[in-house]
Amino acid sequence: AFMNMLRDEDNANYRSVIKNTLEFDPQVLKRYVNFMNNPDERTAVDQFGKGDKYFGVCTLMATLPGLPMFGHGQVEGFAEKYGMEFRRASRHEDPDHDLVARHEREIFPLLHRRHLFAEAPEFRLYDLFTDGGNVNEDIFAYSNRSGDERALVVYHNRYASTSGWLRESSAFAVKNGDAKELRRSTLAASLGLGPDSDLYCVMRDLRSGLEFVRGSQELHDRGLHVELGAYGCRVFLDFREVRSTESEPWAEVARRLGGAGTPSTASILRDVRLEPIARALAALMDRGLLESLFQPPPAVASVSKRELPQVQEAVRRFSTLLDAARHEAG
């Protein structure tokens, strides 16, 4: 099902497979062996190519509960199909070094974190509701947890663009003795985020390396808004929740980013904290003020230099700079 349905982009039916399993018993997900090819099938590069679709499906394989199984020569991009009865390859193929390098960037780091993805009790599948209010069945979105580590995977298995909101999970079974109860969870609750208005969630996308900041309260109320192009994929890791304070104004960081990513939220936070100093320094270094300080003094002898308006303004601006520096230095 994994190989055939994802290759043929029969996404709604494969999502139904996962949903039905979750409603029956989420632990069954751990019994699945997910693969993109095996010795009896066409090779992975023949079925999925070497582009974004291949790496999107491979990301699902590496991050779903169960066993990810790589076929012989899959990482190297070998195209020859041969079964278990073959003693050796019939033709010589050199590894595709660019393909191997992309595996090293995007897939291998996920395999090193299999402890985060392999278990099923905290696995949650989500529907993406488009801006028009419809469920996009081409989106595979799910979260998982292991201790304090959290992950959110979103993949668009279609040659198209889409956007929408992830908020509530599909139903999953919770067993209590012989009884079984179906429950749902919000994305924010699954990620263990608080509902306070001054809490913010910082997360990093493995693919782009960028960090994103979202208000925890918005994640509770509306969910997470995502935009994905053709075969687009996001793997959000390294979640942490921070509180916006005067000394750490995360609310202003989120406002400045406006939903966009940044290579370093720490750098943006530092810029916000140092802005009063930078603003005061820019005012002191004003060209007009500096030029006025070097003008000839007035001919009236009774006026001291300290009483000159431009000198008093320079002193005022310098005092503002010192106050801002003292405040930042504590």
Side-chain angles (χ1 to χ4, degrees), residues 40-264:
D40 298 318
E41 305 288 348
R42 292 155 50 202
T43 61
V45 294
D46 183 21
Q47 297 189 77
F48 295 92
K50 296 183 179 182
D52 290 341
K53 178 172 180 174
Y54 169 90
F55 281 95
V57 176
C58 195
T59 296
L60 298 189
M61 188 177 78
T63 56
L64 282 169
L67 176 66
M69 185 178 75
F70 287 81
H72 174 78
Q74 177 177 334
V75 173
E76 295 88 344
F78 292 166
E80 180 183 0
K81 174 185 179 298
Y82 56 94
M84 298 296 290
E85 71 276 11
F86 284 69
R87 298 184 64 183
R88 63 180 64 86
S90 61
R91 52 184 160 135
H92 175 78
E93 293 185 89
D94 293 321
D96 184 328
H97 296 293
D98 291 336
L99 189 70
V100 174
R102 190 168 177 184
H103 278 87
E104 292 174 344
R105 293 193 309 271
E106 300 181 9
I107 304 301
F108 293 175
L110 299 174
L111 298 177
H112 282 290
R113 296 200 187 192
R114 275 299 297 170
H115 66 279
L116 175 55
F117 305 107
E119 298 295 331
E122 299 293 336
F123 178 87
R124 304 288 182 264
L125 181 73
Y126 304 94
D127 289 330
L128 182 133
F129 284 86
T130 65
D131 298 330
N134 300 314
V135 174
N136 188 334
E137 295 285 358
D138 298 323
I139 291 290
F140 292 86
Y142 50 88
S143 65
N144 213 334
R145 296 182 65 175
S146 176
D148 294 332
E149 293 185 75
R150 293 159 284 186
L152 173 64
V153 178
V154 189
Y155 169 57
H156 184 206
N157 194 37
R158 184 73 66 187
Y159 187 74
S161 298
T162 189
S163 63
W165 293 87
L166 303 171
R167 185 180 182 275
E168 189 175 65
S169 75
S170 302
F172 56 93
V174 177
K175 291 186 176 181
N176 185 9
D178 295 333
K180 183 175 70 173
E181 176 186 357
L182 290 181
R183 298 180 185 175
R184 295 178 184 269
S185 173
T186 64
L187 173 64
S190 300
L191 297 175
L193 303 176
D196 297 351
S197 60
D198 58 350
L199 288 176
Y200 288 81
C201 175
V202 182
M203 51 192 171
R204 181 178 63 86
D205 175 28
L206 175 68
R207 289 294 185 87
S208 64
L210 300 178
E211 290 185 305
F212 295 82
V213 182
R214 295 291 188 275
S216 295
Q217 187 176 50
E218 181 186 50
L219 292 175
H220 271 273
D221 296 341
R222 303 186 63 190
L224 177 69
H225 190 268
V226 295
E227 298 181 8
L228 292 170
Y231 306 114
C233 186
R234 294 280 182 88
V235 182
F236 295 108
L237 300 168
D238 302 332
F239 283 81
R240 57 192 174 99
E241 197 167 37
V242 295
R243 189 175 297 274
S244 184
T245 63
E246 183 181 2
S247 60
E248 293 193 343
W250 284 102
E252 178 61 20
V253 173
R255 189 194 67 79
R256 290 194 181 191
L257 289 175
T262 177
S264 173

Side-chain angles (χ1 to χ4, degrees), residues 17-29 31-32 171-175 180-182:
V17 170
I18 301 177
K19 287 184 176 182
N20 292 337
T21 305
L22 288 171
E23 293 180 7
F24 176 73
D25 184 356
Q27 292 292 344
V28 174
L29 288 174
R31 301 180 187 176
Y32 293 157
F172 56 93
V174 177
K175 291 186 176 181
K180 183 175 70 173
E181 176 186 357
L182 290 181

